[in-house]
Amino acid sequence: MEEVDVEPTTTPIPGFDSNKKHLGFVWGPGDILVYETIYKASGGSAGGCPFVHEVRKDEDIYSPILRKLFNESHHIFVGLQRIRDDLPSKNKKPQFVSISKNYRSVIRACMEELQQVAGIPSLFTLKGVISMMSHLSLWCEQNFNIFCTLFFVCDPPAGSLVLHLLDWVRLHKADVDEKAREVLASESPAEHQAYWDVVISYVLQGRMDEARQVLVKRATLQPAARAMFKLLDNLLMKMPIFNPGETQTLTEFDVKWRHWREEVDRCLQDQSFASNPHLEDICKILVGDEDVLLEHKELLSTWYHFLVTRLLFSHPTVKPTELHYYAQSSMHMFLDTRCVPEPLDSILLAAFEFDIHQVIKDCSIALNNWWFVGHLTDLLDHCKLLQSHNLHFGSNLREFLLLEYASGLFTHHSLWQLAVDYFDHCPEFGRVYLELQIERVPLDTERKALKVIRICEQRQMTEQVRSICKIMAKKALRNNRLGSALSWSIRAKDAAFATLISERFLQDYCAKGTFSDLDLIDNLGPAMLLSDRLTFLGKYREFHRLYGEKRFSDAAKLLLSLMTAKIAPRSFWMTLLTDALPLLEQKEVIFSADQTHELMFCLEELTSGKSVPNPDRPMQVLGYPLSNVCFPFNLLIHCFIICSNLYSCLARG
C-alpha cells in the first residue's frame, strides 16, 4: 500500500474525547457519520450520546457562490467533450484555447463575487471562510491561466513566451492601477507618497507607456531635470518588444534588443541619472539589475513576478525548455532562506518544468476539492498532452479525477444532476459509478423521482428504473395514495405489488361503495394485464361503466365472464352475484338460459363451502351497501333472492 504524501487533516469533533470513549462511524458518499458508542476505551460500558455528527469531506459544494462555478464549468466541460477527435490538431487548437479562457473567466467571476461578499459586514462571521475561498479561487485562476494558456495549450515559442507571462502577471497584479488612479486623482500627483511606487510598478510589469505618462507629471514640476526625464522617457519608448505577428524574426529582435540594452548601460556608466535616485533605479531595472529588483520586493510581492520581470529585462528570448532554470534561481533569490515554500511554489516549479503529472498530484494535495484538477486534467487529455497513465485499479488519471469530482457532486441536493454528465464521459467506470450513485439520490418528491427515472431511461438503466418505481410505489401506499402507488407499480412492472394494490382498491370499494382514482382505473389499457387481480379490477370497473350507460347485455356478459374465467377472487363472488340482481330484475331478459345456468352453478359452488366470503366485508350491490345483518343469515337471504330470480328467468326463458 502506498504511503500518503501528507498527513491527513484532523477534524475535531466537539464533545468527544477519544481517550475515554469509543467512536463509531459510517461512511457515506460524501461524508462520514460519527457517533459515540456505549463502550469506554478502557473497556466496560458508558452512557450513549444522543448526537450524530456529520463530517463532510467536500464542504465547497454547499457554498452558493461556488455552486455557480460548478454549474457554469459543467457547460464548458460538456462543450469540450463535443469536439470531434477526428479533427486535425490545427483546427482543434483554437477551440482548446477558447475552452481554457472560458474556464478562467468563470473562475475569475467567482473570485470577484467572493471578494465582494467578504466585505459585507453582516457576514463577518463567515469572513474567514469566504476569504479562504476567495484565495483558493484566485489561486485556481492563476494556475489555470499559467498551465493552459501559457504552456500546455498555446505552446508559446521563444520570444512570445515572456509576453504571455507578462499578461499573466498584469492580470493578477492589478492593484497598481487602483493605486495609480488614487495618485492621479490627488491635487498634486507628482508629490503623492505613492507616486514613485506607481512608476516603478508599471516598469516592473513592462507597461512602459503608462510609466511614461505618469513620469510626465514629475517632469513638469522639475524644469531643471527635464533633460534627464526626457532621456529616460526616450529609453522607455525605444525598448524593443517582440511581436510574433510582425515579419521581424527572433534573431532581428535579439539584435535590436541588445543595441537598446547597450544604450541603457552607457547611460548608467555616464551617470546620467546620478542626481535622481529614483530615475537611476528605473534605469538599473531596465538592465536587469537583480539587486535593485530585490530591493523592490514589496512591489513585486511574489517570486514569480520577480521571475517574469527578470526575464523581461535580462532574457526576453528565453525558451520554454529553459524556463525552469530561471524559475528555481528566482525563487531561491526572492524567498528568505528561512521561509518554507508554499504549495503554490512547488506547483509552479513543476509547471515550469513541464511535469504535468507532478502538477496534478500537488494540486490534488493542496486543494480541498477535485474541481480544479478534474477539469484541468480533462482539458490536457483532450489536447493530447497527458500521457496515458493507468492507475493500479484500472482507470486512467483523467477518469479517476472526474469520477471523484462527480461523486462529490452527487451528495448535493441539486448538483447531482451535473454529475451525471461527468459519469457519462468516463467510458470505463462511469456507468458503474452512476448506477451506484443514482440509487442514493433522495426521492423527496414525485417530480424528482420522474427526473431520476428519465435519466435512467435515457441510459437504458432498467433495473434502476424498476427499483425507483418500487420505492415510490411503497411510499405512496404508506401514505394511502392508492392511485399513485398503482401507477408506480405498473411502471415498475411489479406484478406482485400491483396485485396487492388492486386488492386494496377492492377493499376500499367494499367499504365505501365507490372507486377512488377512476381516471387511472378507466385508462389502464394493456397495463391491466400485468396481474390477474389488476385485470379483474379494470374489468370490474368496466362492468360498472357499462351498467351506468344502461348497456345491460354487455354488462351481464362481462360480469359472467369475470366469474367463469376464474379471474375474480372467490371471496368477491358474492359481490358479483349481488351485482347481478338488478340485471335479473329487469323487465327484459338480460341473461340467457345458458348464462342463468352458469350463474346458478357459481352460486352452488359458492354455497357448497368450497369458498366462503369474508363475514366482515360489507356486501355491495353496484356500490350500494346491503343491511349489516350478521353473515350467515345475510348470506341465506341473498341466496334465496338470487335463486328465486334465477328460476323466474328460466320460466320466462
Side-chain angles (χ1 to χ4, degrees):
M1 184 175 179
E2 297 182 3
E3 295 183 359
V4 295
D5 297 279
V6 295
E7 288 294 324
T9 303
T10 301
T11 304
I13 306 298
F16 281 154
D17 185 353
S18 59
N19 295 323
K20 296 181 179 179
K21 305 170 185 175
H22 278 167
L23 298 182
F25 61 89
V26 177
W27 292 99
D31 51 19
I32 307 173
L33 297 179
V34 183
Y35 56 91
E36 177 188 333
T37 67
I38 63 172
Y39 299 100
K40 294 182 179 179
S42 57
S45 61
C49 177
F51 300 106
V52 176
H53 297 266
E54 181 181 15
V55 182
R56 293 172 177 167
K57 71 175 183 180
D58 193 356
E59 188 69 18
D60 289 348
I61 65 173
Y62 297 96
S63 165
I65 297 176
L66 291 182
R67 286 207 297 272
K68 294 181 182 179
L69 172 67
F70 298 149
N71 277 291
E72 293 178 10
S73 59
H74 161 260
H75 296 298
I76 302 172
F77 170 83
V78 173
L80 177 59
Q81 313 312 308
R82 293 172 180 164
I83 297 178
R84 291 166 48 194
D85 292 334
D86 57 348
L87 289 176
S89 298
K90 63 178 181 179
N91 294 342
K92 291 191 288 187
K93 187 173 181 178
Q95 298 182 64
F96 293 147
V97 174
S98 176
I99 290 289
S100 71
K101 290 180 178 178
N102 290 339
Y103 275 132
R104 283 156 39 210
S105 65
V106 298
I107 301 173
R108 190 156 191 86
C110 172
M111 178 194 67
E112 292 174 354
E113 189 169 357
L114 283 169
Q115 290 174 342
Q116 292 175 0
V117 173
I120 299 177
S122 61
L123 297 177
F124 68 93
T125 56
L126 300 174
K127 286 182 71 173
V129 176
I130 294 173
S131 176
M132 180 191 68
M133 290 181 179
S134 178
H135 175 73
L136 289 174
S137 298
L138 174 62
W139 193 85
C140 290
E141 204 276 342
Q142 284 181 317
N143 289 334
F144 224 109
N145 194 326
I146 197 71
F147 300 153
C148 298
T149 305
L150 304 187
F151 303 110
F152 306 139
V153 179
C154 290
D155 190 20
S160 63
L161 174 60
V162 172
L163 297 180
H164 288 295
L165 289 171
L166 280 173
D167 289 338
W168 176 55
V169 167
R170 291 167 185 170
L171 184 63
H172 300 290
K173 193 65 177 154
D175 56 336
V176 62
D177 293 312
E178 184 177 348
K179 190 181 293 183
R181 285 192 291 270
E182 180 185 340
V183 170
L184 296 175
S186 63
E187 295 181 358
S188 180
E191 295 178 352
H192 195 280
Q193 60 179 0
Y195 172 81
W196 285 109
D197 286 346
V198 170
V199 176
I200 294 174
S201 294
Y202 277 139
V203 174
L204 292 173
Q205 292 187 12
R207 301 168 65 176
M208 303 308 175
D209 291 338
E210 289 94 330
R212 291 172 59 205
Q213 292 173 8
V214 180
L215 274 173
V216 171
K217 304 291 184 181
R218 190 79 176 190
T220 56
L221 293 180
Q222 296 179 337
R226 188 168 298 173
M228 194 187 314
F229 279 93
K230 181 65 177 176
L231 177 60
L232 182 62
D233 181 79
N234 189 46
L235 292 175
L236 295 174
M237 180 181 64
K238 293 196 301 184
M239 179 180 176
I241 300 295
F242 179 74
N243 189 344
E246 295 180 353
T247 56
Q248 184 184 37
T249 64
L250 189 61
T251 304
E252 291 172 343
F253 164 76
D254 188 58
V255 171
K256 188 176 180 180
W257 182 83
R258 291 183 183 278
H259 285 312
W260 171 82
R261 171 74 176 272
E262 291 173 0
E263 183 180 352
V264 178
D265 274 332
R266 283 195 300 270
C267 291
L268 282 175
Q269 292 171 7
D270 297 343
Q271 296 186 345
S272 303
F273 305 104
S275 60
N276 191 316
H278 295 294
L279 297 183
E280 189 173 30
D281 280 353
I282 293 174
C283 192
K284 289 179 180 179
I285 290 173
L286 294 180
V287 296
D289 189 319
E290 293 173 352
D291 293 332
V292 176
L293 289 175
L294 292 173
E295 289 175 4
H296 295 89
K297 273 188 175 183
E298 293 184 0
L299 299 180
L300 292 168
S301 71
T302 61
W303 67 266
Y304 40 91
H305 187 183
F306 168 66
L307 163 68
V308 176
T309 302
R310 181 186 173 199
L311 293 175
L312 173 65
F313 297 115
S314 301
H315 311 283
T317 58
V318 64
K319 298 177 181 178
T321 54
E322 303 169 341
L323 194 57
H324 69 281
Y325 296 111
Y326 296 108
Q328 288 179 346
S329 61
S330 296
M331 189 178 74
H332 292 313
M333 292 167 62
F334 191 87
L335 297 179
D336 192 290
T337 55
R338 293 169 296 179
C339 290
V340 179
E342 295 184 358
L344 178 60
D345 300 328
S346 60
I347 291 171
L348 288 176
L349 281 178
F352 292 142
E353 293 175 0
F354 294 90
D355 189 347
I356 300 177
H357 287 95
Q358 188 63 41
V359 168
I360 295 171
K361 179 181 178 181
D362 291 344
C363 287
S364 299
I365 296 171
L367 293 173
N368 60 344
N369 66 69
W370 299 101
W371 180 91
F372 178 79
V373 290
H375 290 86
L376 174 64
T377 305
D378 175 62
L379 179 57
L380 298 179
D381 185 73
H382 278 83
C383 296
K384 307 300 181 185
L385 295 170
L386 193 66
Q387 296 178 358
S388 179
H389 187 70
N390 289 330
L391 305 179
H392 66 275
F393 46 81
S395 177
N396 60 38
L397 183 59
R398 169 195 172 272
E399 181 163 321
F400 167 76
L401 294 173
L402 290 179
L403 289 173
E404 288 296 313
Y405 171 64
S407 297
L409 292 180
F410 246 100
T411 63
H412 193 268
H413 65 89
S414 63
L415 295 179
W416 65 270
Q417 298 173 77
L418 307 182
V420 174
D421 286 324
Y422 289 95
F423 286 140
D424 283 344
H425 293 97
C426 293
E428 191 166 355
F429 293 118
R431 183 179 178 88
V432 177
Y433 269 67
L434 179 58
E435 289 175 352
L436 294 174
Q437 295 284 0
I438 203 75
E439 294 180 351
R440 298 176 177 176
V441 176
L443 304 176
D444 306 319
T445 62
E446 290 198 355
R447 181 180 179 185
K448 189 173 183 179
L450 290 171
K451 191 178 295 184
V452 176
I453 287 175
R454 184 167 59 252
I455 290 173
C456 293
E457 288 177 341
Q458 291 170 351
R459 291 155 182 81
Q460 289 80 48
M461 295 166 59
T462 308
E463 288 302 317
Q464 282 69 29
V465 171
R466 293 189 64 183
S467 175
I468 293 167
C469 290
K470 287 181 179 180
I471 292 171
M472 296 303 297
K474 291 178 181 178
K475 187 180 295 187
L477 185 60
R478 282 197 301 268
N479 295 326
N480 203 32
R481 296 169 56 231
L482 297 182
S484 178
L486 181 59
S487 177
W488 283 112
S489 62
I490 291 173
R491 190 161 189 169
K493 295 182 173 60
D494 189 341
F497 206 68
T499 299
L500 174 65
I501 299 171
S502 300
E503 187 68 37
R504 285 285 299 273
F505 267 105
L506 295 175
Q507 291 174 8
D508 269 17
Y509 168 77
C510 291
K512 302 175 183 177
T514 58
F515 283 109
S516 58
D517 300 284
L518 287 179
D519 288 342
L520 175 63
I521 300 175
D522 287 343
N523 295 282
L524 285 174
M528 72 171 62
L529 301 177
L530 183 61
S531 75
D532 289 346
R533 196 59 46 85
L534 184 59
T535 303
F536 171 72
L537 175 65
K539 290 298 183 181
Y540 186 56
R541 167 56 193 159
E542 185 179 347
F543 161 75
H544 278 258
R545 183 172 53 81
L546 292 173
Y547 187 88
E549 295 173 357
K550 297 185 178 181
R551 296 165 59 184
F552 299 130
S553 178
D554 293 336
K557 288 180 182 178
L558 181 56
L559 183 66
L560 188 61
S561 67
L562 291 177
M563 299 183 67
T564 57
K566 309 300 183 183
I567 295 177
R570 298 287 288 276
S571 60
F572 208 77
W573 277 18
M574 179 55 70
T575 301
L576 297 180
L577 287 171
T578 52
D579 283 340
L581 287 175
L583 297 174
L584 292 168
E585 293 173 347
Q586 296 293 325
K587 293 180 180 180
E588 58 178 321
V589 177
I590 304 299
F591 289 101
S592 66
D594 292 337
Q595 291 174 331
T596 306
H597 278 294
E598 289 180 357
L599 278 176
M600 292 179 66
F601 177 77
C602 291
L603 177 61
E604 181 181 358
E605 185 176 354
L606 180 64
T607 57
S608 64
K610 297 179 181 178
S611 176
V612 180
N614 186 353
D616 296 326
R617 175 180 293 175
M619 303 300 295
Q620 303 281 342
V621 179
L622 292 170
Y624 296 98
L626 294 173
S627 60
N628 294 325
V629 185
C630 61
F631 166 68
F633 184 70
N634 197 353
L635 176 60
L636 291 175
I637 292 296
H638 290 299
C639 288
F640 175 76
I641 295 173
I642 292 172
C643 289
S644 63
N645 280 281
L646 288 175
Y647 284 118
S648 64
C649 286
L650 286 174
R652 284 185 286 173

